[in-house]
Amino acid sequence: MAADTQADGDRDLGIPSDWLEPAMAANGIGSFDWDIRRDRVAGDARARRILGLETGPIVETEPERPADGVIDPDGPSMSSAEFLDLIHPDDVRTVSRRIRRAMDELGQCGAYYRTVMPDGTVRAVRFRGRVLADEQDRPTHMVGFVWDATAELHKRRRADENAAEREERTRFIREAARALSEAVTSADVARVFTELPLPGIPPDGLLLATLENGRIQMRAATGYHGANHVPHDRVPLDSGHPGAVALRTRQPVFISSRADYARRFPEAWPKVAETERNSWAFLPLIASGRPIGVCVASFDHERALDYDDRTLLSTLGGMVAQSLARARLHDAELELAAGLQRVLLPRRVPPVPGFETAVRYLPAGDGLQIGGDWYDVIPLPGGNVAVVIGDVQGHDVHAAGVMGQLRIALRAYAAEGHPPAAVMARASRFLADLDTGHFATCLYAEVSADYGSVYAVRAGHLHPLVRRNDGSATVQHVQGGLPLGVDPELEYPVTRFTLDPGEILLLCTDGLVETRKLELDAGMERLRRSFEDGHPEDLGELVDYVSGRAAESHERDDDIALLLLRWEGLEGRAREQLRRRIAQADLARISEVRAELRDAVRRWGVGDLADTVELLASELITNALVHTDRDAMLTARLHRETPGGPARLRIEVEDESDQWPTRRTPGEQASSGRGLMLVEALSDNWGVEPRGSGKRMWFELVSPGAADA
């Protein structure tokens, strides 16, 4: 430290001790004394040279002038204001504040500051001082050391810059990891990589390529234009291209110049020679021990990447590889799920005269995005249509497989002409026989093309909705039973309701109305409002609106199937045919078919035949069901030779029994045996025809003219 001083500035400041002065001289450290009361700052020769007040070397390996370490009180000095004038303006405030605090606290202070030398150069200086006080604790002197800190400050600045660069790279790795972890598909990974701002080594081009069938194929690039990307696209893995070498050796390849490229990779150089790049980094993408692609970072100027740069790029390559492997697996799962779902669901909805339909399927928001929800539209004999909506328990591949089998079976039962209750009962027995451990909810509805009657059967499913012509939408209650596959012997009740021309029937699965955040009743009310608010003119827009409201309001926890059906009425379609199947064990169905037949002949303009045709058709149907063990199929057709002229109504009842009817004369007390007698007596013509397996019984009635419907 500086030599002891005496109070009031009259004491001999002395010189540093014998061991301290050589050390100070060797390190270029000068000493100073600021007489606070007189406001004079004095320093030894080294201090004056450090401050630029004298010329000469600062560091003396062998001090030749001991006087250099002596502060001469009568020698050159300056005021504190003159001292502050030597300091760079940007540093004056810091130095002044620290000096004032040391004087107030009678303590120590120190600071780095810059001083402008007489030749205009800027030198960094550091000082350390201590405030001395008298008996009344008033500051009298500040003594201390001063030395040239230019090299020290540069070293410290470089250390700060290195620390800032390390922090920037750490932050980059953290942000890159976050962005890559959020990338879902391979396209997302490619986009994230090509948009990464590499710190300290901003490349002029970034390219991501994947290994496909033994070739490196470019997937995304930024900073590439013209032919710059050509040398790195569709490169064989067994070639001498640096990207192929990086994949084969599983080590990054760094090329610092064009000459380096030509020397190390002569086979690939001719194509690269036509590009504008001058240095490259090829990073192999290795995931689970398998090469899956390569990243390329290129620069317009020659660049020899240092250890830190190469470490950063290699780390980035590893992160991209893991993210790309995960994304490719996700892409494969999505492709599998989408393909399987396309196969299991109807490829298209068949057009049915008199009806308009629209369907949508939305996969669940997470998981494999495949499930057991399905829809179907089935044309039926006689021009009617059946609509189905169902949901097999679960949304995985197993559920989808069960759904596919159940959909095909139910479609087959419906196409055979079975009534709705029989279709549902048979589908339940089919699912139970599969023994998959799954059950399914389902809603099946048969809609009459002639007069809009709907016969609906529900197996543990949601009720349908109907939008009326006045714009209102209501939930249509349908009697229900247990889900399919639970009780194979269960008989399902049928609910009948009607649609007016232009009215719309909506069927959906519970994914549309129920989530973890939304209860079923609230979801049904939301669905009803959205069904009511949508525009019914375009059924496609309406189904998108209804499904979109559900998808936007809540995250989808389950897949969704949605089907809309509009009955357009009789206009523009064949009016004069009715076809119905009556199950052998369903004698109650005879009453329903009889009522439909009566309504049909009235609509066809031959209402005068309604009573007769109802009686005779009932006799034929009953005869087929009672005397055979098979189902019966009723077909009614009306033929007119000229508009408004005589009409011929033909009724046919088909069964699969080879037993032919026998006409007999019953006694007065007999309770049966008069059916064929009535047919023969009341019809204009009748007969029995073979039809391969089974027979067809028929009769015809002639109306002299068209009557009012």
Side-chain angles (χ1 to χ4, degrees):
M1 299 294 291
D4 295 337
T5 59
Q6 296 179 0
D8 299 328
D10 296 331
R11 287 170 284 185
D12 183 8
L13 296 176
I15 61 173
S17 59
D18 294 340
W19 65 269
L20 183 57
E21 167 55 26
M24 292 174 60
N27 290 279
I29 299 175
S31 59
F32 70 89
D33 178 15
W34 175 27
D35 187 333
I36 298 174
R37 293 180 178 177
R38 295 170 53 198
D39 191 24
R40 301 305 297 176
V41 180
D44 63 11
R46 278 191 299 273
R48 291 193 294 273
R49 286 195 294 272
I50 291 170
L51 296 177
L53 301 178
E54 295 182 3
T55 59
I58 296 175
V59 177
E60 301 170 6
T61 55
E62 294 182 2
E64 299 176 354
R65 298 179 299 161
D68 276 358
V70 177
I71 300 176
D72 183 0
D74 298 325
S77 64
M78 72 185 89
S79 66
S80 60
E82 292 172 327
F83 167 71
L84 293 176
D85 287 341
L86 299 175
I87 299 176
H88 193 283
D90 294 341
D91 299 336
V92 171
R93 184 176 180 181
T94 300
V95 174
S96 300
R97 184 176 65 253
R98 295 187 180 184
I99 290 174
R100 285 196 301 270
R101 185 172 60 189
M103 292 176 60
D104 293 339
E105 298 175 357
L106 299 180
Q108 301 182 34
C109 69
Y112 285 98
Y113 66 87
R114 290 164 294 172
T115 183
V116 181
M117 306 304 292
D119 59 1
T121 61
V122 177
R123 175 182 294 170
V125 178
R126 186 178 182 186
F127 78 91
R128 290 290 297 179
R130 180 182 182 85
V131 176
L132 305 178
D134 58 14
E135 293 81 354
Q136 288 77 33
D137 289 333
R138 292 175 298 181
T140 59
H141 284 261
M142 175 182 284
V143 295
F145 303 114
V146 61
W147 63 93
D148 187 337
T150 302
E152 179 183 346
L153 189 61
H154 287 173
K155 182 178 180 181
R156 182 173 179 178
R157 184 174 295 138
R158 284 194 300 271
D160 291 342
E161 291 174 353
N162 291 337
E165 185 175 345
R166 287 193 298 270
E167 175 63 25
E168 184 181 6
R169 295 190 175 197
T170 301
R171 184 167 55 252
F172 166 77
I173 291 295
R174 184 168 56 248
E175 291 299 320
R178 180 193 59 79
L180 289 171
S181 67
E182 294 175 356
V184 178
T185 65
S186 299
D188 294 336
V189 175
R191 176 185 53 79
V192 169
F193 170 73
T194 55
E195 293 177 356
L196 288 176
L198 274 71
I201 50 171
D204 298 292
L206 284 173
L207 183 145
L208 177 67
T210 56
L211 183 60
E212 305 288 346
N213 300 321
R215 287 183 177 271
I216 301 173
Q217 299 186 17
M218 188 185 72
R219 288 290 175 247
T222 183
Y224 282 85
H225 56 86
N228 274 329
H229 71 278
V230 173
H232 314 302
D233 191 19
R234 302 190 61 79
V235 176
L237 184 59
D238 57 357
S239 68
H241 189 277
V245 173
L247 277 180
R248 292 199 303 270
T249 62
R250 303 187 182 185
Q251 295 293 328
V253 174
F254 300 100
I255 305 173
S256 59
S257 66
R258 295 172 70 86
D260 187 21
Y261 199 125
R263 178 180 57 82
R264 296 169 57 188
F265 305 100
E267 178 184 339
W269 170 246
K271 289 185 178 180
V272 178
E274 302 174 2
T275 68
E276 303 171 357
R277 301 293 190 242
N278 284 273
S279 56
W280 300 262
F282 294 87
L283 312 173
L285 303 181
I286 309 297
S288 301
R290 295 185 304 105
I292 61 174
V294 63
C295 295
V296 182
S298 58
F299 306 87
D300 286 344
H301 304 286
E302 293 185 0
R303 179 155 193 162
L305 300 174
D306 59 21
Y307 175 80
D308 290 338
D309 295 335
R310 297 186 177 195
T311 300
L312 176 65
L313 289 172
S314 299
T315 302
L316 178 60
M319 294 166 53
V320 173
Q322 296 302 317
S323 182
L324 182 60
R326 184 183 66 253
R328 294 179 73 177
L329 179 61
H330 180 269
D331 292 343
E333 290 177 346
L334 282 184
E335 184 177 355
L336 172 63
L340 183 58
Q341 200 75 52
R342 285 193 300 269
V343 171
L344 296 178
L345 289 175
R347 294 186 60 184
R348 66 181 185 89
V349 176
V352 181
F355 297 96
E356 181 185 0
T357 57
V359 295
R360 290 293 182 273
Y361 174 81
L362 301 176
D366 55 6
L368 193 55
Q369 298 192 7
I370 189 173
D373 289 21
W374 90 93
Y375 57 80
D376 210 345
V377 178
I378 309 169
L380 298 177
N384 295 341
V385 66
V387 288
V388 188
I389 201 82
D391 183 2
V392 176
Q393 166 197 9
H395 53 275
D396 52 20
V397 174
H398 192 194
V402 174
M403 175 269 285
Q405 297 178 77
L406 181 59
R407 185 185 76 83
I408 294 172
L410 194 147
R411 184 181 183 89
Y413 296 144
E416 288 177 354
H418 297 290
V423 170
M424 195 69 85
R426 294 184 181 214
S428 183
R429 286 193 292 272
F430 173 82
L431 182 57
D433 291 342
L434 287 179
D435 194 22
T436 62
H438 284 67
F439 63 85
T441 65
C442 184
L443 177 66
Y444 176 90
E446 180 179 324
V447 186
S448 167
D450 293 326
Y451 44 89
S453 295
V454 181
Y455 297 89
V457 184
R458 188 171 63 88
H461 202 79
L462 300 175
H463 294 285
L465 278 73
V466 175
R467 176 170 174 141
R468 300 298 181 181
N469 287 327
D470 61 2
S472 64
T474 58
V475 177
Q476 176 65 51
H477 180 78
V478 173
Q479 298 183 64
L482 295 174
L484 303 180
V486 175
D487 183 0
E489 302 302 324
L490 181 66
E491 297 294 333
Y492 291 90
V494 179
T495 300
R496 183 180 184 273
F497 59 93
T498 60
L499 299 175
D500 289 337
E503 293 185 337
I504 304 171
L505 179 66
L506 181 150
L507 284 66
C508 70
T509 55
D510 57 359
L512 187 65
V513 298
E514 188 176 23
T515 69
R516 288 173 293 183
K517 300 179 181 179
L518 188 68
E519 295 183 354
L520 179 60
D521 291 341
M524 287 294 290
E525 176 59 22
R526 184 192 67 185
L527 174 62
R528 188 196 65 79
R529 289 198 305 268
S530 62
F531 190 30
E532 196 171 72
D533 295 341
H535 298 291
E537 291 79 11
D538 188 323
L539 218 56
E541 292 183 1
L542 180 59
V543 74
D544 286 335
Y545 177 78
V546 173
S547 60
R549 289 286 298 272
E552 292 174 359
S553 301
H554 294 275
E555 178 184 356
R556 295 197 301 273
D557 304 315
D558 197 0
D559 44 345
I560 294 171
L562 175 62
L563 184 151
L564 300 183
L565 171 83
R566 185 194 340 251
W567 179 53
E568 297 177 337
L570 299 175
E571 182 179 357
R573 62 176 305 274
R575 301 171 50 186
E576 291 133 347
Q577 177 173 305
L578 177 68
R579 189 174 174 86
R580 292 290 182 271
R581 177 178 287 273
I582 303 95
Q584 199 278 332
D586 189 10
L587 296 180
R589 176 70 167 156
I590 299 176
S591 176
E592 297 178 2
V593 172
R594 192 166 56 223
E596 291 184 20
L597 184 59
R598 174 181 287 273
D599 291 342
V601 297
R602 287 176 177 173
R603 289 175 179 270
W604 296 345
V606 287
D608 57 308
L609 302 179
D611 294 336
T612 305
V613 74
E614 182 180 355
L615 172 62
L616 299 186
S618 180
E619 289 295 335
L620 291 189
I621 294 171
T622 303
N623 184 73
L625 296 180
V626 171
H627 297 289
T628 71
D629 59 353
R630 307 294 174 86
D631 297 349
M633 176 68 74
L634 170 74
T635 304
R637 295 187 181 90
L638 185 69
H639 302 277
R640 283 192 176 92
E641 297 297 333
T642 59
R648 182 180 299 274
L649 179 64
R650 181 182 177 96
I651 306 296
E652 300 175 351
V653 176
E654 302 174 11
D655 62 64
E656 297 179 357
S657 173
D658 294 330
Q659 181 180 353
W660 281 57
T662 302
R663 181 183 179 280
R664 57 191 175 89
T665 304
E668 292 183 0
Q669 302 298 320
S671 60
S672 63
R674 297 182 176 87
L676 291 183
M677 293 178 62
L678 289 174
V679 172
E680 183 179 28
L682 299 179
S683 67
D684 294 302
N685 199 6
W686 75 281
V688 181
E689 301 172 353
R691 50 177 302 273
S693 61
K695 60 184 178 298
R696 175 189 296 119
M697 297 182 63
W698 58 271
F699 67 86
E700 293 181 346
L701 298 173
V702 178
S703 176
D708 294 335

